Amino acid sequence: MTSGLPELAAEHKFILVFPAASTQLVSGNLVKAWALAPEHIPVDLAFFDALLAKLQTQYRIDSNAIFITGMSNGAYFAHVVGRERSEVIAAVAAHSGELGLGPTRPHCHGPEISVMIIHGDADPVFPVELARHARDVYEAAGHPVTYLELPNWIHQWYSPVDEKIWDFFDSHRLHANSSAPATTPTTAPAPAAHS
């Protein structure tokens, strides 16, 4: 099952970006993934910064409505970007991935960020306990969390949640009193790599 986010982007007029992860050496193996080795976290964050800067030169983007989502390793990187760029990211939606505590902000310090966590309780790759732990870490740090635990769902994108992700993003802005026009496109860099 695949995401229906491209159709939602066309319907709701937001910019959707699917960057591909680079190949990294992890435990002696070359893998295509986001920020798995600690030394790759700054590299991948620099890529995110450059990608966003490029998009901002090419499109009219509401700086209060920049969101990030991903699944599996993409969800992990969405957590990393949300935590490390909380002054830029308005909200995070992480689907079937672990929190992945990076070395620079291990407890989600920085501005408050709203997070949606989506996880199947039958996920054989990342047990649902990891999602519950992520929820608890964010809540303990004072970040608002929307938590969706999917009964009997495995490690696969759950497309019925697409509209909920859009509604979640659409209701969260970096600055709540933003008066940007509703027609201003938003961007949702969405890591595409999966574990």
Side-chain angles (χ1 to χ4, degrees):
M1 194 171 292
T2 58
S3 161
L5 292 175
E7 290 78 14
L8 283 177
E11 178 184 347
H12 296 289
K13 309 294 186 232
F14 62 87
I15 300 168
L16 184 65
V17 181
F18 289 94
S22 64
T23 301
Q24 302 179 3
L25 186 63
V26 180
S27 301
N29 298 310
L30 286 174
V31 294
K32 193 163 188 153
W34 293 105
L36 286 184
E39 64 271 18
H40 285 288
I41 292 175
V43 174
D44 286 343
L45 286 171
F47 170 80
F48 170 81
D49 295 340
L51 175 61
L52 181 57
K54 180 178 174 68
L55 292 169
Q56 288 173 322
T57 65
Q58 294 178 330
Y59 301 96
R60 184 172 161 238
I61 293 175
D62 180 355
S63 62
N64 287 306
I66 299 172
F67 311 101
I68 188 160
T69 187
M71 183 194 159
S72 194
N73 175 247
Y76 156 72
F77 191 54
H79 284 304
V80 171
V81 174
R83 185 172 62 246
E84 297 298 324
R85 299 296 184 262
S86 57
E87 70 282 357
V88 173
I89 298 297
V92 171
H95 193 313
S96 305
E98 61 179 329
L99 183 56
L101 298 178
T104 55
R105 291 184 188 171
H107 297 294
C108 309
H109 298 304
E112 179 183 282
I113 188 162
S114 296
V115 180
M116 173 180 271
I117 297 172
I118 306 146
H119 211 101
D121 67 4
D123 190 329
V125 178
F126 293 118
V128 71
E129 288 77 19
L130 293 172
R132 295 170 185 163
H133 170 72
R135 174 198 61 201
D136 295 346
V137 168
Y138 278 113
E139 288 179 345
H143 301 277
V145 178
T146 298
Y147 182 76
L148 300 176
E149 192 166 302
L150 309 172
N152 304 311
W153 194 253
I154 57 172
H155 192 73
Q156 188 176 21
W157 186 270
Y158 184 68
S159 63
V161 82
D162 294 343
E163 193 75 48
K164 290 183 182 186
I165 292 173
W166 164 248
D167 290 342
F168 172 75
F169 283 163
D170 194 39
S171 64
H172 290 85
R173 294 292 184 266
L174 194 60
H175 299 103
N177 295 327
S178 171
S179 59
T183 56
T184 301
T186 60
T187 182
H194 299 277
S195 298

